[in-house]
Amino acid sequence: MMESLFLVILILTMAFALASGYPVAFALPGSAILTIGLAALAGQLIEADPDAYFSHGGPVQWLNAGVTNFRGIYWEVERDTLIAIPLFVFMGIMLERSKVAEDLLVTMAQLFGPVPGGLGIAVVFVGALLAATTGIVGATVIAMGLISLPVMLRANYSRSLATGTISASGTLGQIIPPSIVLIILADQLSNATDQASTLRQAEYREATGRSTMPSEFDITSTSAGDMFLGALLPGAVLVGLYMAYILTLSLIRPRTAPPVPFSGAFDYRFAGKVALALVPPLTLIFLVLGSIIVGIATVNQAGAIGAVGALVMAGYRLAAGRRGAYVPAVLAIGAMVVLAVLLSVHEINVKNIDGRDDVVALLIASAAVAVLLFAVCWSAWRAHRIDRTLEGVMIETAKTSSLVFIILLGAAMLTAAFRAFGGEELVRDFLTGLPGGFITKFVVVMTVIFILGFFLDFIEIAVVVVPIIAPILLADTTANVTAVWLGVMIGLNMQTSFLTPPFGFALFYLRGVAPPEVKTTQMYLGVVPFILLQLAALAIVGLFPSLVNYLPNRVYLTSETSPPPKNPRLQACLELYLFEEYERERPRLTAAIARARTIDTSYLPDRHRRALAESIDAAAATFDMIARVREAEAARVTVAEAYRPLHREIRALRVEARRLRTEMDRLRTALRRLPDDAVSRRLELAARIDSIEGAVRSIDARLPQNFAEAQKRYRALDAAEQKARRAYRRNVDDAYEGVAALREVIADAGALAALEGMLRDLPRVVRSLLPKEAMQHLRGVQSEVGGVAGANHIRSKLSAARRALRGKTPDMAKAEREIGLALRRFEAEMRWRGRAAAALLPELASFDAAIAGTIGLRQRDRLTSDQAEEIAGCQAVHRDISLSF
Amino acid sequence: MSVPRPGTQALRAFALSTAAVGILFPINNYLIFWRGWPGVVPLLDGRAPLLSWLQLGFYLAAVALAAAFVVGSPARRLTADADMLSAVAAYVARAAFWAVLLVGLADMTISFLRVEGLLVDLVGPELAESLGRSRYRGLYVHYPLIWIAFLIAMLTRAIGFAWLAFLIVLAELQIVLARFVFSYEQALMGDLVRFWYAALFLFASAYTLLHEGHVRVDVLYTGFSSRGKAWTNAVGALILGVPLCWIVLALGMWNKANLINAPLLSFEVTQAGYGMYVKYLMAGFLIVYAISMLMQFLSQFLSAAAVLFVEPDEGGESR
């Protein structure tokens, strides 16, 4: 239809604008505005309605949406992650300009050179490290091309291998954290996750008729920190593959990667040089990534640490050879050490300074911070004075940040235009219409990204393509992939694309700095093995999503903010783990339960005795409950096998039918809008509507008859399993709660005893006071008693006494009686609690300890680290949940 | 020196008058929504108050002045005008930098004192009360500082905004130290980073365009002749760049509720209560962006036109 025509115009305008070489940041929004304007104009002229050629809404509304998106980049607090970009850019450029990066490369080459293939391995290693510091493909490739290519060529490395290694290592910056690509992908993916979640909820409602989707079916979102963690292992795999390849090649064909003899001596001087070149950058990277991984710092804060660290390193590197070159660095390190030691022995909270220790700690900390800031300022002063490095770094940072963000802004506008002309629905329909489920969709999307990678830089792809395709891929319930995994796969894919001749960006950059005797064909040849390695890495990560998902999950589950074991999203994995654990622990558990039954509880008040007995019974029943869950599960799984293909077929048909129906609605609206005299057009539209109606009917006819039956059966079994699981959960909760509650009651005996004086004084005090004051006093005592576990029955008597004093005719006698009863109850309570504290409490504690890790796990505040590891491993695997839809 | 061609004169007149109207637009916007002027739009109805005519007169005067300048300097080169427009863009960015620097520091200090309850002791309860209101703080703290910033920008020549890159690092470092050493965290510290970071990339954009920092898809572009490149830049600036600036300006400021005017008029602050009171200024960043980019696009247009229209020997002198 007409809006599709304008969609084509939009894409052509954009393609033309991009191809003309006008800056991307303005080509994108410019073509969006141009096309929206054109559509409005055409609508006004032809249909006398500027909104006519928009899928819905009008030009002003969409342009407004565009400008709102535009402003949203920095306006919304949720997008704060992006602040990390200028910080990391600052860090990377500072390391590069101050020659810290160059030192690293040269020293590593000298160190590894004498080993066969060592120089190549050193280049890969440094590439990975530099990548970790700059994260900008062009900068890394150019820097390494300038520094290491001459060295490798002089060492008689094969030209192909040398150029291949450098371009491949240069692109590592995409995938090895802290990379800017990952930050932008995280930003885009977290938006996409929200959209995908909405899609999935709609699907759930449509499929089941229930209004809310259980949270365990929700999509796992992502953040920049998660992306960094997720990319860490795949990045390591990639670096490992590169190194293994170079090593193997140097062993099979030594002429391509000969050892490089080192002219100097391997003495202490050299060792010192190596340490100086290697240790600071490594420590910085360790600090930056480590603080994110351990979860103590946000990505932005880590970025600031990195930037300041780079500044301090520049401070001594730029002043190399002068007297006192290392003073600021030493001061900074000293201050950090003092702070680390101080904070490990004494925590400081400025809002709560109390006592001499706090004051002393505060003074020391302030002094250390002052020294640190002094060292930073000194370093900055040096960077400012020496070759105006600081100024260069700042301008470069400003330019790089601006180029990244202005593209983000522009793409925000383009996305609005794309939606305005129904592009999103078109892509969605195309992708969902593809046969073969998730795999086909995924492969198609990845291929498109791969090809786009020839022409566009990563930012453009991340901000233009990802928002459109990611929601569709994430919403898929069969694959049920996590956003982190998708992001890492896209990152790896783009990286491969940038390597691939003839258009790979990395090759262009390297061509620009390589000497003319290196032929372009040699470069192409050299990069081929690395492309294959990349594809291998893509396949590995694709097949083993745990490589990506494990670390983020594990850090999340072991962090301060970890979810309690009761969290519904954890239940599937928790039960998987626990049911095995029950199997292993069964003898110990049964023994503990049997022993618990023999505990002498005769002196307990009835209610406690019964509760404990129920609790122990519930614990004993756990195994039956599990057996029931297993049975129900097995029953469902048997049916699921036969049901799955049927379900898939039906879903595909239904999706197709829905797609056709929306298309039909659209055509009908268009038909209504047509002026009466457009006869031929009307006929054409009517014919198309008819043919679609026919197609919908034929789909309805193709729906297998046995489906309703099969679906009912499967749903019943699924419901039965869910019921069994709920019963199991309730049962273990009861089992543990009873024991824990009794323990608490007994343990509170001390608190109760402390009230003794007050309670015994009560009759005298009440008698000496006016009724009103007595009531006041009683209320105070009441709340004291209420604070003690299991003392409600005493409290209720006190409350009765207070009630007796209320009103116009206070009944003092009755009040005293009630107080007497309360005292009696108190004495009884003290008696049994005293006895239980000695005899029962240890027994209960050992029972509690025996069941805490299994039956009681759901009631705990957090998982132990072993459990968290297990659960993280389980959560890291993508689970097919399509049958629930 | 070649004889000026009428074509280039028209281009100059076009670029300069567009620039003048662009600068005038926010000023008229201020008159309309802050001072209650009627604006130019009522003229379409025919029954417009005198002030509408006056505002239209401003625009006409701007165009006339631009035209007069062009006619009065027939020998002036396109590149000279391009440099002038670049200088205006640089001035806008520089003034905006000084403004966010001064306002950022001042407002953070006030917000900090207020959060810690020290403001009352320092300036008395009455003034502290007033400073707690975003409108008062905007009018009597931010606005004067912004005027000062415009003055400083006249007197200095340094590229200010690049310092924001370093200032962001320091502002974030302040968060790190306060949080990890002193267990102290306040919303205002994050607000300062956000304030400066948004300013960094928006104010740096014009400079980045001037210094070829914005990424191009250079598969074909690198192969173009200098004339080919000039065509790309001239046409691109005119139909891709300039409209973008106009859309941002027009849609942001067309009426009271638009997304630049609304926060500015209401002195919008962050939801976080005890943060800085500068969020409304961040809406104003878009004006800075749009105006500085408009100047820079027009400058780019003239530089490219210089290559296209002027004899080769002169074209060589242009950027």
Side-chain angles (χ1 to χ4, degrees), chain A residues 309-489:
Chain A
L311 185 62
V312 171
M313 276 155 69
Y316 70 73
R317 178 58 183 85
L318 287 169
R322 303 189 188 183
R323 236 160 54 109
Y326 294 96
V327 178
V330 170
L331 282 179
I333 293 170
M336 296 267 286
V337 170
V338 168
L339 282 175
V341 171
L342 178 69
L343 290 175
S344 66
V345 296
H346 193 101
E347 203 162 300
I348 301 171
N349 185 344
V350 271
K351 301 295 284 178
N352 185 16
I353 294 296
D354 188 21
R356 210 171 57 101
D357 284 3
D358 278 1
V359 173
V360 171
L362 182 67
L363 286 177
I364 298 176
S366 305
V369 166
V371 171
L372 184 63
L373 288 178
F374 174 69
V376 169
C377 290
W378 190 351
S379 302
W381 178 246
R382 276 186 181 170
H384 178 63
R385 292 305 297 255
I386 303 173
D387 303 335
R388 304 172 70 76
T389 312
L390 182 62
E391 202 175 335
V393 172
M394 290 188 315
I395 289 182
E396 218 35 58
T397 309
K399 278 167 74 175
T400 311
S401 312
S402 189
L403 90 85
V404 172
F405 281 101
I406 303 297
I407 291 178
L408 269 169
L409 297 177
M413 202 121 194
L414 181 76
T415 315
F418 196 71
R419 290 207 182 111
F421 299 117
E424 225 173 17
E425 287 114 52
L426 211 69
V427 172
R428 179 149 70 233
D429 290 349
F430 168 70
L431 283 181
T432 41
L434 287 173
F438 179 79
I439 301 290
T440 334
K441 282 187 243 174
F442 184 68
V443 170
V444 167
V445 164
M446 291 298 261
T447 315
V448 169
I449 290 179
F450 187 80
I451 293 169
L452 283 177
F454 292 159
F455 309 103
L456 298 180
D457 206 345
F458 68 87
I459 318 167
E460 290 96 294
I461 298 179
V463 297
V464 175
V465 181
V466 171
I468 297 168
I469 55 90
I472 303 165
L473 294 179
L474 288 174
D476 191 290
T477 49
T478 32
N480 191 19
V481 298
T482 58
V484 188
W485 179 80
L486 186 62
V488 172
M489 288 297 279

Side-chain angles (χ1 to χ4, degrees), chain A residues 89 145 187 228 237 247 290 360 456 583 666 704 728 760 845 852 873:
Chain A
V89 170
D187 174 61
F228 285 0
V237 167
L247 190 66
V360 171
L456 298 180
E583 232 22 83
R666 214 157 49 200
Y728 153 79
R760 291 212 184 281

Side-chain angles (χ1 to χ4, degrees), chain A residues 705-727:
Chain A
Q705 294 309 314
N706 56 348
F707 179 67
E709 185 72 17
Q711 188 180 42
K712 215 164 128 191
R713 201 152 57 106
Y714 179 80
R715 291 238 166 112
L717 288 171
D718 191 34
E721 184 187 338
Q722 293 311 322
K723 199 174 151 205
R725 284 186 190 276
R726 275 197 304 275

